Amino acid sequence: MINNFIYNDISNAILNTNTALNEITSSITSATAKPYFIYAYSLFESTITEIIRYYIKAFPYKIDKTISVNKDLFLTSPRASDIIDAIIDQNIRKYSSRSLYAYIQFFISIQDLDLSLNENKIKDISDLRNSIVHDDIKNSLIYKHTNNTKNYNENPPISLYKNHICYFIEILDLYNTCMEEKYYEYTLDKLARAIWEYTFSTPILPFDAVWEYHSEGYLTIKDIDDLKSRATSLSKSEHLFLAIFLQQYNNDLNNYIHDFNKIPSLVGIDTYNKAKLVELIDFFDSFPLLFNGERIKPA
């Protein structure tokens, strides 16, 4: 199974979130402190949730072994990737329902990172969030006709809200540094080579003999005539795989490279190559433009 993890995807997601969080801290006023803080809290939580989802999908062996799968899921899901997505959702819900501190610990531990947390500060952040979301409503409804109001702090200073949001930014920055040290080699170039080499184990089609990088950083076929010559020695299954890649690259190229009588019927493909075919379908679902104009390297 090809690992579809790209470090820059993580880095860009964190950059976008931290840009938004910085804008929030610079815009907070006494009138907007509570809603801005709740939005910042939700943005931070959703960011680590989507990163976890992305990470586990790339490393499915990290799925909690205690997660059980409903039989109906197997009977109704057309592809294994759909089942994995459903299991990942269950895995995330198992931990996202816990305290913020426990959820962040899960976020760090599942990625095997060495990142220290300030437990007391995170607890204070959670308490403030819960006070805003829950206690204000309780005071206005349940305790409306009594004196049993429960207040965390009716008017915390704006600096406290800003400080808590800045800690979200700090956590994400530290996380990004750890991820860069560990996964900086996980690039689009590495992924393109991995899917190509996984698909074509034959020495007839080495990646660098077929592909090169345009000056703008996207992949282009090095020599179409040379590729046509190499294709004459491919097996029928390899003709099918090459046709799939070329169809992503250029709709007209398949007509020139090989005749369609070279393409096998599905019943004629062995189990090993059928697995490759499914892998390719899943791959191009996620990266439809990798071999068709996506900038892979800096220009």
Side-chain angles (χ1 to χ4, degrees):
M1 186 174 182
I2 296 299
N3 184 302
N4 292 347
F5 182 84
I6 306 296
Y7 162 68
N8 276 347
D9 289 349
I10 297 292
S11 180
N12 289 335
I14 291 173
L15 175 63
N16 291 336
T17 294
N18 279 354
T19 297
L21 292 176
N22 275 309
E23 290 175 354
I24 290 171
T25 58
S26 64
S27 304
I28 282 181
T29 66
S30 57
T32 62
K34 285 184 178 181
Y36 276 24
F37 173 74
I38 295 301
Y39 172 62
Y41 186 104
S42 299
L43 183 59
F44 172 78
E45 193 172 45
S46 64
T47 298
I48 65 174
T49 296
E50 293 311 313
I51 289 175
I52 291 172
R53 193 188 314 281
Y54 181 89
Y55 181 85
I56 301 179
K57 191 172 179 64
F59 302 94
Y61 66 88
K62 294 276 192 172
I63 293 173
D64 194 319
K65 301 301 187 294
T66 64
I67 299 295
S68 60
V69 182
N70 189 292
K71 180 181 68 175
D72 291 340
L73 183 61
F74 283 102
L75 297 177
T76 59
S77 299
R79 294 189 299 177
S81 59
D82 296 332
I83 298 173
I84 291 174
D85 288 344
I87 296 173
I88 290 172
D89 285 342
Q90 290 183 46
N91 201 159
I92 290 173
R93 284 195 297 271
K94 176 179 178 180
Y95 292 92
S96 62
S97 60
R98 300 180 182 181
S99 70
L100 180 63
Y101 178 72
Y103 191 37
I104 299 174
Q105 276 191 315
F106 164 67
F107 171 71
I108 292 170
S109 63
I110 199 170
Q111 297 172 84
D112 300 318
L113 299 177
D114 184 16
L115 179 61
S116 59
L117 299 173
N118 185 329
E119 182 175 0
N120 290 331
K121 189 172 186 66
I122 294 174
K123 185 178 183 300
D124 288 342
I125 292 172
S126 292
D127 288 345
L128 179 56
R129 180 262 180 193
N130 292 337
S131 173
I132 295 171
V133 173
H134 300 296
D135 290 348
D136 285 357
I137 300 300
K138 285 182 181 179
N139 288 341
S140 64
L141 291 177
I142 299 176
Y143 304 116
K144 182 176 181 179
H145 303 290
T146 74
N147 292 320
N148 296 325
T149 56
K150 298 181 179 181
N151 294 319
Y152 171 79
N153 188 341
E154 287 190 359
N155 295 297
I158 295 177
S159 59
L160 179 65
Y161 292 104
K162 290 185 176 182
N163 183 266
H164 286 344
I165 296 171
C166 285
Y167 190 57
F168 289 151
I169 296 172
E170 180 183 338
I171 291 174
L172 291 176
D173 278 339
L174 290 172
Y175 165 77
N176 190 35
T177 298
C178 291
M179 291 297 285
E180 183 177 17
E181 292 174 355
K182 189 170 184 179
Y183 294 104
Y184 71 94
E185 292 182 343
Y186 285 75
T187 63
L188 285 171
D189 174 64
K190 177 185 174 78
L191 178 61
R193 291 174 182 275
I195 189 65
W196 183 267
E197 292 165 5
Y198 165 79
T199 306
F200 301 105
S201 54
T202 172
I204 298 171
L205 292 178
F207 183 88
D208 289 313
V210 177
W211 300 97
E212 63 183 359
Y213 282 99
H214 187 274
S215 59
E216 294 184 4
Y218 59 81
L219 282 169
T220 183
I221 292 177
K222 183 177 289 187
D223 186 326
I224 293 175
D225 290 325
D226 178 65
L227 178 57
K228 180 178 176 66
S229 175
R230 291 171 181 272
T232 60
S233 301
L234 296 177
S235 68
K236 284 196 170 185
S237 292
E238 289 166 340
H239 271 286
L240 173 61
F241 298 146
L242 181 59
I244 292 172
F245 276 93
L246 295 181
Q247 197 69 7
Q248 309 303 313
Y249 178 77
N250 184 312
N251 290 337
D252 299 322
L253 200 53
N254 271 316
N255 292 330
Y256 178 72
I257 297 297
H258 43 214
D259 297 327
F260 272 95
N261 61 10
K262 297 285 188 180
I263 305 299
S265 63
L266 291 179
V267 72
I269 303 175
D270 61 32
T271 302
Y272 174 68
N273 283 311
K274 281 179 181 175
K276 285 187 177 183
L277 181 58
V278 172
E279 184 87 17
L280 275 180
I281 293 170
D282 285 341
F283 175 82
F284 283 116
D285 265 354
S286 300
F287 299 92
L289 301 179
L290 192 60
F291 288 85
N292 184 18
E294 181 169 359
R295 181 173 291 178
I296 297 177
K297 289 188 173 182

